[in-house]
Amino acid sequence: MKYSSYLMIMIMLIGLGSLFVIKRPDGKPWLSVDMIFGEAQQQASTLLDKSKQELNSVVNSAKKALNDEETTTSQTTIYRWQDAKGNWHYSDRPNTRVNSQVHTLDPTKITIMAAENTEILETLGQDKGQAEGKIDVDNMKPTDVKKLVKDAQGLQKLMDERAKTLEDI
């Protein structure tokens, strides 16, 4: 059985090999290496050409988008001026009444952070009609002191979380 299997395999190999030697009526062999690999190579080169065209179109569109972004971001300017009280104001338009300083923004150097909860700061100035967020220490009650300590602890916790986030970054 083993020898017959080898004999069958040898006959098939000789038959396949003879296709490379036996010629058709036009004088070309029935099978050649160019026929086998030539078509595959042609399909591969066609696929390669298509992929190069797609890659070039993607690169060109990315360059165009980058150039569009650079023109819009490079033109980002802000204006700064100081009022009579000494407060600084920032705007996207210059103030016509005073001399405004022009600043251009580099978007690669701007860090954007999410807004934080500022409820603690808002509640400090609202207790008992206090003006401008000042705390009247002389008339404080023990409950006010407890609330102030609790707010300070909350603020400390918030600052610790921010510091940890900055260290992680």
Side-chain angles (χ1 to χ4, degrees):
M1 183 73 176
K2 188 175 183 182
Y3 293 113
S4 62
S5 302
Y6 287 139
L7 184 62
M8 291 295 273
I9 292 173
M10 289 302 292
I11 291 172
M12 289 189 340
L13 287 175
I14 291 170
L16 183 64
S18 65
L19 291 176
F20 286 98
V21 178
I22 299 173
K23 308 230 184 254
R24 293 186 300 197
D26 63 353
K28 295 181 181 176
W30 284 98
L31 192 59
S32 68
V33 176
D34 292 338
M35 289 178 164
I36 295 171
F37 294 110
E39 188 175 324
Q41 187 176 7
Q42 183 181 10
Q43 290 175 354
S45 65
T46 304
L47 183 62
L48 182 64
D49 291 339
K50 285 181 182 178
S51 63
K52 283 181 182 178
Q53 290 173 355
E54 289 294 323
L55 182 62
N56 286 336
S57 68
V58 168
V59 167
N60 290 336
S61 63
K63 284 181 181 178
K64 181 180 177 188
L66 184 61
N67 288 338
D68 290 345
E69 183 177 316
E70 284 179 358
T71 57
T72 57
T73 56
S74 64
Q75 296 175 358
T76 306
T77 57
I78 59 170
Y79 300 92
R80 180 176 97 152
W81 67 90
Q82 195 170 18
D83 63 5
K85 294 181 181 178
N87 297 325
W88 286 100
H89 299 275
Y90 297 88
S91 176
D92 58 345
R93 286 179 243 136
N95 188 350
T96 57
R97 291 182 226 137
V98 293
N99 188 11
S100 299
Q101 298 174 358
V102 179
H103 296 277
T104 57
L105 297 178
D106 184 8
T108 59
K109 295 180 181 178
I110 296 175
T111 303
I112 299 174
M113 296 177 62
E116 297 290 333
N117 186 357
T118 59
E119 291 177 4
I120 295 172
L121 301 175
E122 293 172 1
T123 58
L124 286 177
Q126 294 176 356
D127 294 338
K128 298 180 182 177
Q130 295 167 348
E132 299 178 14
K134 295 181 182 176
I135 299 173
D136 187 12
V137 180
D138 296 332
N139 297 327
M140 287 185 79
K141 296 179 184 175
T143 56
D144 294 337
V145 172
K146 287 181 182 179
K147 185 177 183 314
L148 185 62
V149 169
K150 184 179 176 183
D151 290 343
Q153 289 172 344
L155 188 60
Q156 181 64 44
K157 181 181 175 185
L158 180 67
M159 295 301 291
D160 291 341
E161 289 173 0
R162 285 185 183 175
K164 184 177 184 268
T165 304
L166 287 173
E167 286 177 9
D168 292 344
I169 292 174

